């Protein structure tokens, strides 16, 4: 009985924290159609401001809480005007995701710079530190406070939306913004006030939930997935849905930690995947199509097959030249090659199929772990065999994950990709007998390549092997994307309904491309395991997926060569900027991502294509004169 009561209280407390933080994102998504992945950053900032007010200024808790909320709103106003307002009402949710990830990166970097990397505490007042006697059990006062605040927020929002003139205008703007504006409703003002309310609620959740969700500079990324899952399952714009989803997820998480503490995270994401597949439009939300479509960055015309093979030959020559010019950087160049394979695999899904995924690192990490396990557990140390193992493992994982992902659309599809990634990470951490757990796999020692070329400390053999793999992969992918199968994938990206009406197998085709993508990503992971000799959980993180996405968008999606350019530019900039200060690098990459999405959505490859078109002479068209 005592355990059941503890589970109930912890479920309610954790669920109310999730609800208070995520309801703001649910409202902005339902009203302005903006997928704001930086929302957790506002909760983080609320926690930092409250901590500073309590510890440095000596303010009481109940004064620090509204002050922190006000400070976050003041900071959010210029962001809303400059960065969020241009996104209102647009269905390009992938662009929104990338821009808001850039904002989150900037928040993390600036927070780390001004407040330092240490975790911040928010001291509770005396009336929230002790237990409360309910007659049959003592309950922590803070838990009851969080539950009461969550219920008050839910009731207050319902009254605001259903019983006030502001709520009437808000609902009118949600149903038809154009009609509402024609009736004299200042929709832009409604949007701004709603955005301010959403970030204020996020900040409140960050403060009152600091005991359950600790505050540190990476808060925005660490809990981004959980917040997004609440909104997706609850349904965008639905208060009841968000509350139900938060409590459901709180129950799943709490029960998992009580009954299966070693696998609580894994069970949580298994449940998330199941719920999203059963309720792809949310428990109480509207259909996903009403909120977003599977839009992708501006397409870029890729080179034809003959020019592509010339470019591949040029890449091989450039790779050899890079080694001759900077032989001491062979290890760094090998990392660049493995990341290039990851980004190429992502380009197949995003650039050629139009499917948004933030979980590509799962395929990369599975390939890396498969190669490492083959070497350490099965004694398969031949580097080519290890590459084969990684490729097969990544391909199989791609087929399985692809079969799940293609069943959803829009935001639900995005959530599925992240949930699968987080599930893979949780299993990689808990199956320590196989994966090494948090310590990872080390001392991976591949045998000499062809029995002749040893993998030495300088990394020369690993780099040349990687360069050969990249050239072979590029050649194969060039043939694939120009084949009928590749053209069908492009057709699905452009108009899947039309392709299906013409008899094309949309989902089956996408699943096959996921398999090809997984093979390429698995090769990249296996190459990393061979060249570095270690495999860790960092290969399975959301940060790795986001990093690959930034590289792809920077170079240009849908051309293969643009992806390679993005890898080179990104990692070169990272090498020089991050060496000076890692926090500066996060700020820089966030600003770069925002700038690229606003001013150069087709990436560097698109810029080169535009310049070529401008230089191309215009051939005068003959004019026929009819008597």
């Amino acid at each position: 009985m005592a355990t059941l009561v503890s589970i109930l209280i912890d479920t309610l407390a954790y669920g109310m924290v999730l609800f208070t933080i995520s309801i703001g994102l649910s409202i902005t998504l339902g009203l302005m159609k903006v997928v704001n992945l930086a929302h957790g950053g506002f909760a983080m900032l609320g926690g930092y401001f409250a901590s500073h007010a309590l510890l440095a200024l000596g303010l009481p808790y109940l004064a620090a809480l509204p002050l922190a909320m006000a400070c976050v709103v003041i900071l959010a106003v210029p962001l809303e005007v400059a960065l969020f307002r241009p996104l209102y009402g647009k269905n390009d949710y992938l662009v929104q995701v990338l821009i808001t990830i850039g904002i989150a990166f900037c928040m993390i970097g600036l927070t780390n710079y001004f407040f330092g990397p240490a975790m911040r505490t928010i001291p509770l007042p005396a009336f929230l530190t002790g237990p409360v006697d309910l007659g049959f059990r003592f309950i922590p006062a803070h838990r009851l406070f969080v539950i009461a605040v969550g219920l008050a927020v839910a009731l207050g929002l319902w009254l605001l939306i259903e019983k006030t003139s502001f709520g009437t205008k808000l609902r009118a703007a949600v149903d038809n913004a154009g009609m509402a504006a024609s009736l004299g409703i200042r929709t832009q003002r409604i949007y701004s006030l709603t955005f301010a309310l959403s970030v204020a609620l996020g900040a409140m959740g960050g403060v009152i939930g600091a005991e359950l969700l600790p505050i540190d500079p990476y808060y925005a990324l660490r809990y981004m997935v959980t917040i997004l899952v609440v909104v997706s399952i609850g349904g965008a714009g639905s208060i009841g849905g968000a509350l139900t989803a938060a409590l459901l997820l709180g129950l799943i998480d709490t029960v998992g930690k009580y009954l299966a503490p070693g696998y609580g995270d894994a069970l949580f994401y298994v449940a998330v995947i199941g719920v999203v597949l059963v309720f792809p439009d949310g428990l109480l939300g509207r259909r996903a199509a009403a909120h977003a479509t599977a839009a992708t960055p501006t397409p870029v015309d890729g080179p034809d097959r003959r020019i592509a093979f010339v470019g591949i030959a040029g890449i091989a020559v450039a790779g050899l030249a890079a080694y001759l010019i900077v032989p001491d950087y062979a290890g760094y160049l090998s990392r660049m090659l493995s990341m290039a394979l990851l980004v190429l695999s992502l380009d197949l899904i995003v650039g050629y199929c139009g499917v948004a995924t933030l979980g590509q690192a799962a395929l990369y990490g599975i390939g890396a772990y498969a190669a490492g396990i083959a070497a350490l557990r099965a004694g398969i140390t031949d580097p080519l065999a290890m590459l084969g193992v990684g490729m097969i493992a990544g391909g199989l994982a791609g087929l399985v994950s692809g079969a799940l992902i293609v069943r959803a659309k829009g935001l639900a599809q995005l959530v599925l990709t992240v949930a699968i990634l987080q599930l893979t990470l949780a299993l990689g951490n808990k199956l320590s007998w196989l994966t090494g757990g948090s310590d990872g796999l080390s001392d991976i020692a591949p045998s000499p390549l062809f029995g002749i070329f040893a993998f030495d400390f300088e990394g020369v053999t690993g780099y040349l092997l990687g360069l050969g793999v990249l050239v072979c992969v590029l050649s194969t992918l060039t043939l694939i994307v120009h084949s009928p199968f590749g053209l069908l994938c492009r057709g699905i990206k452009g108009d899947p309904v039309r392709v299906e009406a013409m008899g094309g197998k949309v989902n089956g085709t996408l699943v096959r491309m996921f398999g090809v993508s997984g093979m390429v990503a698995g090769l990249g992971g296996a190459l990393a395991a061979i060249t570095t000799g270690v495999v860790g959980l960092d290969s399975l993180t959301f940060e790795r997926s986001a990093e690959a996405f930034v590289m792809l968008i920077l170079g240009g999606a849908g051309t293969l060569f643009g992806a390679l350019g993005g890898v080179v530019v990104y990692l070169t900039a990272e090498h020089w900027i991050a060496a000076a200060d890692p926090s500066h690098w996060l700020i820089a990459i966030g600003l770069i991502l925002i700038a690229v999405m606003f001013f150069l959505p087709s990436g560097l490859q698109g810029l080169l294509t535009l310049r070529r078109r401008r230089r191309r002479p215009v051939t005068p068209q003959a004019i026929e004169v009819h008597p």
Side-chain angles (χ1 to χ4, degrees):
M1 182 64 182
T3 301
L4 290 178
V5 174
S6 297
I7 290 176
L8 176 62
I9 296 300
D10 288 348
T11 293
L12 290 173
Y14 184 57
M16 287 304 178
V17 169
L18 292 181
F19 169 75
T20 306
I21 295 175
S22 61
I23 186 59
L25 174 59
S26 179
I27 292 174
T28 55
L29 179 57
L31 173 60
M32 285 91 84
K33 314 295 187 293
V34 175
V35 184
N36 178 18
L37 295 192
H39 187 76
F42 295 115
M44 173 190 69
L45 291 177
Y48 271 97
F49 286 137
S51 177
H52 183 76
L54 287 164
L55 298 176
L57 303 181
L59 295 178
Y61 185 86
L62 295 181
L65 175 58
L67 178 61
M69 294 169 62
C71 290
V72 171
V73 171
I74 292 172
L75 285 178
V77 167
L79 288 177
E80 189 270 336
V81 173
L83 299 180
F84 287 93
R85 189 170 295 179
L87 303 176
Y88 291 165
K90 296 183 178 180
N91 285 333
D92 296 343
Y93 77 89
L94 182 56
V95 174
Q96 299 167 6
V97 164
L98 294 169
I99 290 175
T100 54
I101 285 179
I103 295 172
F105 282 167
C106 291
M107 286 181 173
I108 294 170
L110 290 170
T111 302
N112 199 22
Y113 179 78
F114 286 106
F115 294 102
M119 185 178 297
R120 299 301 288 261
T121 59
I122 299 180
L124 296 175
F127 69 89
L128 291 180
T129 55
V132 175
D133 187 2
L134 298 182
F136 60 92
R137 184 172 176 81
F138 288 96
I139 304 298
H142 178 256
R143 296 286 198 274
L144 296 178
F145 173 74
V146 168
I147 295 170
V149 170
L151 292 174
V153 167
L155 178 61
L157 283 175
W158 182 82
L159 292 174
L160 176 66
I161 294 175
E162 299 293 336
K163 302 298 181 180
T164 66
S165 61
F166 175 81
T168 302
K169 295 175 182 178
L170 176 63
R171 285 183 280 116
V174 171
D175 292 334
N176 193 321
M179 182 64 71
S182 68
L183 294 175
I185 297 176
R186 300 172 62 180
T187 56
Q188 195 61 65
R189 183 180 180 185
I190 296 293
Y191 289 168
S192 298
L193 291 175
T194 305
F195 185 84
L197 175 64
S198 72
V199 299
L201 290 174
M204 174 190 286
V207 176
I208 67 172
E211 291 290 311
L212 300 173
L213 305 178
I215 303 295
D216 65 24
Y218 286 89
Y219 184 104
L221 285 182
R222 181 171 294 112
Y223 302 114
M224 175 191 296
V225 177
T226 305
I227 296 170
L228 189 63
V229 166
V230 172
V231 175
S232 176
I233 292 178
S238 172
I239 298 175
L243 181 60
T244 304
L247 292 176
L248 175 62
L249 294 175
L251 176 63
I252 294 171
D253 183 76
T254 303
V255 170
K257 289 179 178 178
Y258 270 93
L259 302 183
Y263 294 90
D265 291 341
L267 293 176
F268 175 81
Y269 286 108
V270 168
V272 167
I273 293 170
V275 172
V276 171
L277 289 175
V278 175
F279 300 100
D281 303 317
L283 297 174
L284 300 176
R286 303 181 181 187
R287 292 190 63 82
H291 300 289
T293 57
T296 54
T298 304
V300 180
D301 294 333
D304 61 35
R305 183 159 50 184
R306 184 166 31 181
I307 296 177
F309 279 112
V310 173
I312 293 172
I315 289 172
V317 173
L320 292 174
Y323 165 68
L324 295 175
I325 295 172
V326 284
D328 294 336
Y329 282 79
Y332 170 75
L333 294 174
S334 296
R335 176 176 178 251
M336 191 175 288
L337 293 174
S338 68
M339 287 302 298
L341 292 171
L342 171 60
V343 179
L344 282 173
S345 73
L346 182 62
D347 196 13
L348 294 176
I349 300 300
V350 177
Y352 288 92
C353 295
V355 176
T357 171
L358 290 174
Q360 196 70 5
L363 309 180
Y364 177 86
I366 287 174
Y369 271 103
I373 292 171
L376 296 178
R377 309 284 192 254
I380 302 175
T381 58
D382 180 79
L384 297 181
M386 292 173 66
L387 288 173
V389 170
M391 181 180 69
I392 293 172
L396 292 175
L399 290 173
V400 173
S401 62
L404 297 175
I405 292 168
V406 300
R407 296 181 61 186
K409 305 296 179 185
L411 180 62
Q413 188 176 72
L414 195 68
V415 169
L416 267 181
T417 65
V418 180
I420 291 172
L421 171 65
Q422 295 298 108
L423 173 61
T424 306
L425 175 62
L427 292 176
N429 186 33
K430 296 305 179 183
L431 299 177
S432 56
W433 57 271
L434 181 66
T435 65
S438 58
D439 295 329
L441 301 175
S442 58
D443 299 325
I444 300 172
S447 58
L449 181 63
F450 304 125
I452 301 173
F453 305 102
F455 289 83
D456 53 17
F457 178 76
E458 295 179 353
V460 176
T461 302
Y463 172 67
L464 295 177
L465 172 63
L467 182 59
V469 170
L470 178 63
V471 169
C472 292
V473 167
L474 269 176
S475 301
T476 304
L477 294 185
T478 298
L479 294 174
I480 290 175
V481 299
H482 288 91
S483 69
F485 170 69
L487 296 177
L488 179 58
C489 289
R490 292 190 183 192
I492 292 172
K493 175 185 176 182
D495 193 342
V497 176
R498 183 178 180 182
V499 170
E500 191 164 9
M502 296 173 63
K505 304 294 184 180
V506 173
N507 285 354
T509 301
L510 292 178
V511 170
R512 281 191 289 161
M513 185 57 90
F514 264 98
V516 175
S517 173
M519 294 172 70
V520 177
L523 276 173
L527 179 63
I530 292 170
T531 55
T532 63
V534 296
V535 179
L537 293 176
D538 60 318
S539 62
L540 292 168
T541 58
F542 176 80
E543 290 83 349
R544 180 61 56 89
S545 285
E547 187 180 44
F549 223 129
V550 172
M551 295 180 195
L552 176 61
I553 301 306
L554 179 61
T559 67
L560 298 181
F561 292 95
L564 297 181
V567 172
V568 173
V569 173
Y570 180 97
L571 292 180
T572 302
E574 179 190 45
H575 179 73
W576 294 106
I577 299 176
D581 191 323
S583 64
H584 289 166
W585 166 242
L586 282 175
I587 298 171
I589 194 58
L591 293 175
I592 290 172
L593 184 56
I594 294 170
V596 167
M597 294 313 303
F598 270 116
F599 304 111
L600 197 63
S602 55
L604 299 175
Q605 181 71 19
L607 180 61
L608 295 176
T609 301
L610 181 62
R611 291 186 62 183
R612 286 198 303 267
R613 288 177 178 174
R614 288 178 176 176
R615 291 178 178 178
R616 187 180 302 165
V618 179
T619 304
Q621 298 292 325
I623 301 177
E624 294 185 5
V625 180
H626 298 277

